[in-house]
Amino acid sequence: MGARGWHWRKTLLGVCLGALLAPLPATSATPVLADRFTPQQRSYWALQPVDRPAGPFTESQAWARNPIDAFVIARLQAQGLALSEPADKVALMRRVFFDLIGLPPSAAEAREFLSDDSPRAYERLVERLLASPRYGERWGRHWLDLARFAESSGFETDVTRPNAWRYRDYVINSFNRDKPYARFVQEQIAGDELWPDSFDARIATAFNRNYPEEGNQKDLLLARQETLHEITNVVGSTFLGLTFACAQCHDHKFDPITQRDYYRLQAFFAAVNHDDRFPIVPDEELMAYERKLAIWEEKTAAIWAEMSDLLMPLRTHTPEQLLGRYPDFVIDAVKMPAHDRSPIETWMVNLLESKVCNTCPLKPEPYLDPSFRSVVGKLKGDSKERFDELDRQLEELAHLMPADIARGTGIVDINDNPPPTHVLGTGLYTKPGDEVQPGFLSILDPNPAVVPEPAREGSTGRRAALAKWLTDPSNPLTARVMVNRIWHHHFGRGIVATPSDFGMMGERPTHPELLDWLAAEFVDGGWSVKRMHRLIMHSSTYRQSAGAADAGPGIKQRRKVDPFNRLIWRFPPHRLEGETVRDSALSVSGLLNDRFGGPSVFPPLPEGMPKPHGGWDTNDVQAEHSRRSVYVFVRRNNPYPILDSFDFPDTHESCAMRNRTVTAPQALALLNGEEPAEWARAFAQRVLSIAGPEATSQVETAYQLAYSRNPHPGERDTAVTFLDRHAKIIAPQLENAAKPAIPDRLPAGAAPEHAAALVDFCLMLLNSNEFVYRF
């Protein structure tokens, strides 16, 4: 089932269930109870103030390096358990590299760390990786999952959003700079209102522009309501860790979130529309561009007008027919004078204007089909000759057309007079109930929000109020949710195992006191994410072995008491994400292009795969194909295939934690795919250039590059035997037209069949668990 079909069915199901289960929305005749929440709801753990607990330090807590260990060890001791032995140096080194930068250590980096016996060698490694620009690429990708980042609209048309990549770079740079999380949140909710002169802050608002949309939707009120629902749901789950979406049609069935609360939160965004082309250049540069553009428009206006006159009789639909496709309430809004429009009519016309083709010279009415040249082929005789002459005149004036300036995409309030927000029966805009004002969770604050005077003229200031409330230190949810997300990405499972659901149907925290201590430490430490990394990674809890689960004394007791390792009596191993697998293979093979930032790239698609709807223009420069995976273009309906096979998230929705499946397509993609074959060939070329023609040296070099260690004697002997036997099998095939892959440059004394066997050996290493898992 396609993404469009699934989301349509899911929406329909939700509406039907909501209609059956929901109480009627409140009306003016329905009094709102002063206190509708039960004592159990008011005492729910996630809604209590964050209270820094005292660490449970005792003399019996061996290996406790910091308060994190104190809390973890106390829970283990209560169950008769203990931490596992510390991880060996190689495993710990690779764990830190994968966690912080998403790449394996180079051979030189591994040698440097493994040969450093000083007490602070580990701490220095952590600091060096936190300072690496690769850190932001790794941790930025985690946030992009939450932000449902993509560079196309999704659904049927999947239209490209050419400036969307700037939000990706904003996120990466924010993590690299260790931007305080409070500021990070505020910029994404209301950067344009709080810091209107900051290009970064305006780009940050693309967090709420990342919503998918069906661009062909003619019912603009439905389109608006679906967008507002999507923004409300994602803001609630990402920053507050609560499933607000369940209150769209009725009071939440389990959590203390009323339907009024849902629309109070939505009211902060009532005036919002997207802006996909706002300039991000200094005023002087913008004015110079506009002066040049005005000259070009003046010189070409008559030419464009005559071209339009020649084409208009050939168009399939007249402007009036195109406008007639919209509902009557849209047509009326378009035709009435601007000063007579209501706030919602103003919003609809603004949306239509934002859909106008920005490269169309004639600046058509917003409801016109912008495909200006689509009927040129129908021109005949004198009309065709005249059109071609006009085209040549345009070409002669092309030098006057200025190159476009840098632009960003984000959201903005269309004016300071927002449309009213109503509680909607079953979530449908056609069933408005009571009007509500912007407000927060009423169980925490039942009063309407105090909206400040916005820093940007013409804005409502509403989102600025929301941003301040979300990051208020007294808010019990925001800090808890974020430190839990950091813990989740280090250990593969959060203290709360449902990172975007702290509600009644989510998991309870395994270490509630530790969660509160971390949240308090996060706020007191200036909302520094890197500081939280240091606390976690310096702990004995993080530095323990992942392999102790398979052997050693007490293993049966550990498995019996805590079979899922929720108390963290060993480090939990797990498979790397698709991006990290791909990036690691590119790094080990020597192909990785580590250029930072910029427009997204289009690596080649697998042979036989049709080009996705919306386009996929493979880069001409081959080096661009080997950029880090975070820079690969994200087409919503068609993710890059090898990443998709390794559980790349559906970007139509916010993703708090990725699936970790083990499937045949994954094995087939890594073993038989064209891209992995190229990795293996380059990997073998690199091994040959370092080790020369001698098989033992080749095996040792390959292990050092892939695994950061030397092979054990048995592994080395087995690998050398494989190379010898496989070369003999391959030798006869070298005469065939479809001969095995061989590195381009062979060292003196290296036989082609042996080089081809080495390629297969390198491919095996890239497919092994030791390569694709973090231990």
Side-chain angles (χ1 to χ4, degrees):
M1 184 185 297
R4 175 177 169 83
W6 161 241
H7 285 277
W8 180 85
R9 286 165 175 79
K10 187 173 66 172
T11 301
L12 179 61
L13 177 62
V15 168
C16 293
L17 289 176
L20 290 172
L21 301 175
L24 293 174
T27 67
S28 57
T30 306
V32 178
L33 298 178
D35 189 352
R36 64 185 305 166
F37 302 111
T38 66
Q40 291 80 9
Q41 289 175 321
R42 290 199 171 277
S43 62
Y44 186 65
W45 72 268
L47 301 177
Q48 305 313 302
V50 174
D51 185 18
R52 177 191 290 271
F57 290 105
T58 67
E59 293 183 359
S60 62
Q61 289 180 337
W63 299 348
R65 298 175 184 269
N66 63 24
I68 289 175
D69 294 331
F71 289 108
V72 172
I73 292 172
R75 287 283 284 119
L76 289 171
Q77 288 179 338
Q79 298 296 321
L81 303 175
L83 294 177
S84 296
E85 295 290 328
D88 67 72
K89 207 169 182 180
V90 171
L92 188 60
M93 172 186 64
R94 290 176 64 84
R95 183 185 303 170
V96 172
F97 267 83
F98 285 130
D99 269 12
L100 290 185
I101 67 171
L103 294 169
S106 67
E109 289 170 325
R111 284 194 300 270
E112 179 183 355
F113 176 70
L114 296 175
S115 63
D116 187 350
D117 295 326
S118 64
R120 295 190 55 80
Y122 176 76
E123 285 76 9
R124 283 197 296 269
L125 176 65
V126 171
E127 290 304 313
R128 184 168 65 80
L129 296 181
L130 285 174
S132 167
R134 309 278 82 86
Y135 161 80
E137 293 170 337
R138 172 62 163 157
W139 280 80
R141 181 62 257 181
H142 294 322
W143 187 263
L144 295 175
D145 282 6
L146 289 166
R148 75 273 194 233
F149 169 74
E151 299 174 79
S152 63
S153 62
F155 296 113
E156 183 177 3
T157 54
D158 209 18
V159 175
T160 296
R161 296 174 178 172
N163 299 312
W165 61 270
R166 295 189 188 277
Y167 174 76
R168 177 207 65 209
D169 280 7
Y170 157 81
V171 170
I172 291 172
N173 286 322
S174 294
F175 276 97
N176 276 336
R177 296 168 186 166
D178 198 20
K179 181 176 291 182
Y181 182 67
R183 171 73 182 242
F184 185 58
V185 172
Q186 290 171 5
E187 287 179 344
Q188 293 178 91
I189 295 294
D192 61 312
E193 291 190 329
L194 294 168
W195 300 280
D197 296 328
S198 168
F199 296 144
D200 249 19
R202 294 186 66 191
I203 291 170
T205 63
F207 173 86
N208 278 316
R209 169 54 180 141
N210 285 331
Y211 55 81
E213 63 181 339
E214 179 52 82
N216 287 333
Q217 176 62 262
K218 296 299 187 284
D219 185 342
L220 300 188
L221 292 181
L222 176 60
R224 174 178 182 269
Q225 197 56 56
E226 288 179 338
T227 295
L228 288 174
H229 284 335
E230 203 274 350
I231 290 175
T232 306
N233 300 344
V234 173
V235 167
S237 64
T238 299
F239 300 110
L240 298 173
L242 294 175
T243 54
F244 268 80
C246 297
Q248 176 178 315
C249 302
H250 48 75
D251 289 352
H252 201 296
K253 295 299 181 184
F254 306 101
D255 297 339
I257 305 173
T258 68
Q259 191 184 15
R260 292 181 69 87
D261 285 344
Y262 182 88
Y263 290 98
R264 275 158 51 99
L265 177 60
Q266 191 169 106
F268 287 106
F269 301 95
V272 157
N273 198 357
H274 63 259
D275 183 352
D276 289 341
R277 283 181 55 82
F278 60 80
I280 50 174
V281 294
D283 290 343
E284 303 78 28
E285 185 177 343
L286 176 60
M287 289 187 291
Y289 168 80
E290 290 176 339
R291 283 194 299 269
K292 294 178 181 178
L293 183 63
I295 293 172
W296 178 82
E297 288 177 339
E298 180 184 0
K299 297 287 187 182
T300 60
I303 300 174
W304 286 115
E306 187 176 351
M307 294 173 82
S308 179
D309 289 342
L310 289 170
L311 295 178
M312 189 58 71
L314 302 175
R315 295 179 67 91
T316 305
H317 302 287
T318 67
E320 195 64 26
Q321 287 173 329
L322 291 169
L323 180 59
R325 294 177 174 181
Y326 288 87
D328 289 344
F329 59 81
V330 177
I331 298 172
D332 293 342
V334 169
K335 291 187 173 182
M336 73 172 57
H339 58 80
D340 290 337
R341 292 171 183 149
S342 68
I344 194 66
E345 289 168 335
T346 300
W347 187 95
M348 288 191 292
V349 174
N350 178 273
L351 177 63
L352 282 173
E353 290 173 346
S354 72
K355 292 177 182 244
V356 175
C357 175
N358 291 294
T359 60
C360 290
L362 296 182
K363 311 261 187 249
E365 294 297 326
Y367 48 83
L368 282 181
D369 181 354
S371 54
F372 178 69
R373 295 176 177 270
S374 61
V375 293
V376 170
K378 297 181 181 180
L379 287 171
K380 305 295 181 183
D382 293 343
S383 295
K384 178 68 166 64
E385 291 182 8
R386 181 55 182 163
F387 190 91
D388 291 344
E389 172 59 27
L390 293 171
D391 232 357
R392 285 191 290 271
Q393 293 178 24
L394 280 179
E395 187 65 28
E396 292 171 0
L397 296 171
H399 66 282
L400 297 176
M401 177 69 173
D404 199 12
I405 54 177
R407 299 182 183 275
T409 184
I411 61 169
V412 65
D413 284 1
I414 61 169
N415 57 37
D416 58 5
N417 185 24
T421 299
H422 297 271
V423 177
L424 302 181
T426 62
L428 300 176
Y429 81 89
T430 54
K431 296 183 178 180
D434 278 354
E435 182 177 350
V436 294
Q437 298 303 314
F440 313 118
L441 272 175
S442 55
I443 195 170
L444 298 176
D445 184 354
N447 300 309
V450 177
V451 178
E453 189 70 25
R456 187 179 72 83
E457 185 178 355
S459 195
T460 64
R462 290 183 172 190
R463 287 178 289 114
L466 175 61
K468 295 293 187 181
W469 178 77
L470 287 173
T471 54
D472 190 310
S474 65
N475 187 314
L477 290 163
T478 306
R480 279 188 178 118
V481 169
M482 185 55 183
V483 297
N484 187 68
R485 295 194 193 283
I486 298 170
W487 188 276
H488 166 81
H489 290 301
H490 278 302
F491 289 96
R493 185 183 191 277
I495 296 173
V496 177
T498 48
S500 284
D501 186 2
F502 276 37
M504 300 287 285
M505 300 305 289
E507 295 280 346
R508 297 298 183 271
T510 55
H511 300 77
E513 296 85 3
L514 172 57
L515 182 62
D516 272 17
W517 185 87
L518 288 170
E521 194 71 14
F522 189 40
V523 175
D524 293 348
W527 301 83
S528 168
V529 174
K530 288 189 177 181
R531 187 168 181 269
M532 299 311 296
H533 290 310
R534 293 185 186 98
L535 283 169
I536 292 171
M537 301 179 82
H538 288 175
S539 70
S540 294
T541 304
Y542 178 82
R543 295 163 69 167
Q544 63 183 323
S545 171
D550 301 322
I555 185 61
K556 290 184 179 180
Q557 176 66 13
R558 293 181 180 190
R559 288 187 178 280
K560 180 178 179 181
V561 173
D562 184 20
F564 299 107
N565 192 33
R566 289 173 177 164
L567 302 182
I568 324 176
W569 48 268
R570 65 157 174 158
F571 185 84
H574 63 262
R575 198 199 65 220
L576 301 170
E577 302 95 326
E579 294 95 323
T580 307
V581 172
R582 178 178 179 271
D583 295 349
S584 297
L586 288 170
S587 178
V588 166
S589 64
L591 294 173
L592 183 65
N593 176 353
D594 61 0
R595 185 168 70 83
F596 187 86
S600 295
V601 297
F602 295 83
L605 296 174
E607 185 176 352
M609 178 179 173
K611 183 177 289 190
H613 184 66
W616 189 274
D617 298 324
T618 302
N619 291 86
D620 295 331
V621 180
Q622 190 168 0
E624 293 292 275
H625 302 167
S626 299
R627 295 282 303 282
R628 283 202 74 168
S629 299
V630 73
Y631 299 119
V632 172
F633 187 90
V634 182
R635 184 160 292 290
R636 210 164 226 130
N637 287 354
N638 298 91
Y640 189 54
I642 195 166
L643 303 182
D644 193 30
S645 66
F646 279 89
D647 303 312
F648 191 80
D650 177 0
T651 52
H652 288 84
E653 299 178 339
S654 176
C655 175
M657 53 182 179
R658 293 196 182 186
N659 293 328
R660 293 179 191 151
T661 63
V662 179
T663 66
Q666 293 166 356
L668 292 172
L670 271 187
L671 194 61
N672 297 330
E674 297 169 20
E675 192 174 13
E678 180 58 28
W679 301 338
R681 196 167 73 91
F683 186 10
Q685 179 73 74
R686 190 179 181 198
V687 169
L688 286 169
S689 66
I690 296 172
E694 204 276 313
T696 299
S697 180
Q698 291 171 3
V699 170
E700 291 174 348
T701 299
Y703 265 72
Q704 290 162 5
L705 293 173
Y707 299 157
S708 308
R709 67 175 177 86
N710 288 316
H712 303 307
E715 292 173 325
R716 183 184 60 239
D717 294 345
T718 300
V720 170
T721 301
F722 166 80
L723 290 175
D724 180 59
R725 291 179 177 175
H726 198 49
K728 294 176 182 177
I729 296 173
I730 285 178
Q733 302 174 21
L734 294 177
E735 304 302 324
N736 298 337
K739 60 184 179 182
I742 301 175
D744 294 330
R745 300 177 304 279
L746 300 183
E753 62 270 23
H754 186 90
L758 182 63
V759 172
D760 286 347
F761 175 70
C762 288
L763 181 62
M764 180 276 296
L765 293 181
L766 298 180
N767 276 264
S768 64
N769 279 352
E770 188 168 352
F771 189 80
V772 302
Y773 272 74
R774 183 199 64 169
F775 295 96

